[in-house]
Amino acid sequence: SLAGSLLRKMQDFPTFLTKINMNKNLLRFPIMLVILVVPIFAFAASGAGLTPASPLYFLDNLFERASLFFTFNSETKTQKFINFAEERVAEVEILTQKGATALLNKPVANYQENVALAMQEVQRVQQKERAQVLFNSIAESTSRHEGILIAVKEQAPDETKTLLEEALTTSRKANQQALQEIESLRTKVGQLESEVETLKTALEEEKRKNIAVLPQDELGATKPSLLPIRTQADRGVQISPIYSRNEDKQIIPTPTAPSTSIQPKEKIE
């Protein structure tokens, strides 16, 4: 009946409310995730990035560490360390421009860490050509960082100059080391190329020598017979001349000797 149906619905109402509350709890985490993540991507898209002045700065470092955790290639990981160092220098510049030099400790320390890790990780790259490209990237980046840090140091108050000088020392040291590694790799690559050319020349010379000593029949020519042609005289057979000369020196046929072959006997009846 209608009354019974309404009664059952009223009894199920508390259960319905419980389900709504559970769904709210389930939806709460995705909503919070969107609220936290969207601003980060917005900052990244604009090129400004997050600074220690932002309450969401810890998420920036968190995502960087997660990215490194899932990176297993030394070449890719080295490039990420270089990019992270670029971001820290940009943060130092922005904080100095805004007068928030009291917050420089964290980005400066993180900058030094990323530069050191980049120099450490690039040593694990096996291919010398790829390692040379990465060292070039480190040298160019640290040279650019040095110019930014010098300008920042001139604007910063005295209490932060020591901190910025440490960052400059890290940048200069990495730059010098990268340049030395580049020169060393160039020398090694040049030596390898020279060795390869020497081996190619030796192989070509060996090939020419092998061709020179090959028998004529292996080179495609017909090998002459080494057995002399044996004549009838060589086999001990005496051949009488067909013609001879008489007393008047006229050529006359030589009489043929009678045949000595055995004729078959006639059958005696």
Side-chain angles (χ1 to χ4, degrees), residues 211-227:
I211 293 175
V213 300
L214 283 175
Q216 291 296 320
D217 57 343
E218 294 187 16
L219 295 176
T222 302
K223 186 176 180 180
S225 175
L226 300 180
L227 296 176

Side-chain angles (χ1 to χ4, degrees), residues 6-135:
L6 291 173
L7 180 61
R8 283 193 299 271
K9 288 183 179 180
M10 290 177 64
Q11 291 175 349
D12 295 336
F13 188 72
T15 305
F16 177 70
L17 292 177
T18 303
K19 290 182 178 180
I20 291 177
N21 290 330
M22 291 178 62
N23 291 334
K24 284 183 178 180
N25 291 331
L26 291 174
L27 291 172
R28 187 174 300 168
F29 178 74
I31 292 173
M32 291 296 296
L33 186 63
V34 170
I35 293 173
L36 293 174
V37 172
V38 169
I40 294 176
F41 284 103
F43 276 111
S46 64
L50 294 172
T51 67
S54 171
L56 300 177
Y57 183 71
F58 75 98
L59 289 176
D60 194 8
N61 292 328
L62 181 64
F63 285 143
E64 288 180 359
R65 294 183 182 277
S67 175
L68 290 171
F69 181 78
F70 291 103
T71 303
F72 306 100
N73 181 272
S74 294
E75 183 179 345
T76 306
K77 190 174 287 188
T78 300
Q79 191 59 54
K80 286 187 177 183
F81 284 131
I82 297 172
N83 295 338
F84 296 158
E86 291 273 359
E87 292 183 18
R88 299 296 91 82
V89 170
E91 292 169 8
V92 169
E93 187 177 20
I94 291 172
L95 289 173
T96 304
Q97 292 173 354
K98 292 182 177 180
T101 54
L103 301 174
L104 290 179
N105 288 324
K106 184 173 288 187
V108 168
N110 195 251
Y111 168 76
Q112 293 175 295
E113 179 184 5
N114 281 302
V115 171
L117 290 173
M119 294 299 300
Q120 178 181 342
E121 195 66 31
V122 71
Q123 301 291 341
R124 300 177 182 176
V125 178
Q126 298 296 327
Q127 296 183 355
K128 289 181 172 57
E129 293 82 3
R130 299 305 304 165
Q132 184 174 347
V133 172
L134 290 171
F135 276 119

Side-chain angles (χ1 to χ4, degrees), residues 110-203:
N110 195 251
Y111 168 76
Q112 293 175 295
E113 179 184 5
N114 281 302
V115 171
L117 290 173
M119 294 299 300
Q120 178 181 342
E121 195 66 31
V122 71
Q123 301 291 341
R124 300 177 182 176
V125 178
Q126 298 296 327
Q127 296 183 355
K128 289 181 172 57
E129 293 82 3
R130 299 305 304 165
Q132 184 174 347
V133 172
L134 290 171
F135 276 119
N136 281 330
S137 180
I138 292 174
E140 293 174 0
S141 297
T142 50
S143 178
R144 185 168 55 255
H145 299 164
E146 184 178 352
I148 295 173
L149 291 171
I150 289 174
V152 168
K153 182 182 176 183
E154 294 176 354
Q155 301 174 6
D158 294 337
E159 58 269 17
T160 59
K161 290 185 182 296
T162 302
L163 181 66
L164 294 172
E165 185 61 35
E166 293 176 359
L168 271 170
T169 301
T170 300
S171 180
R172 288 167 179 164
K173 183 178 178 180
N175 183 268
Q176 293 175 0
Q177 186 178 352
L179 292 175
Q180 291 175 359
E181 292 289 345
I182 291 170
E183 189 62 29
S184 176
L185 286 172
R186 283 177 180 172
T187 303
K188 291 179 181 178
V189 170
Q191 291 175 352
L192 288 174
E193 291 177 350
S194 177
E195 291 177 3
V196 169
E197 289 297 326
T198 302
L199 286 174
K200 287 174 64 176
T201 303
L203 288 173

Side-chain angles (χ1 to χ4, degrees), residues 241-258:
I242 299 175
Y243 296 95
S244 62
R245 295 179 183 272
N246 56 12
E247 294 179 356
D248 298 330
K249 295 184 179 181
Q250 296 178 347
I251 298 175
I252 60 174
T254 300
T256 305

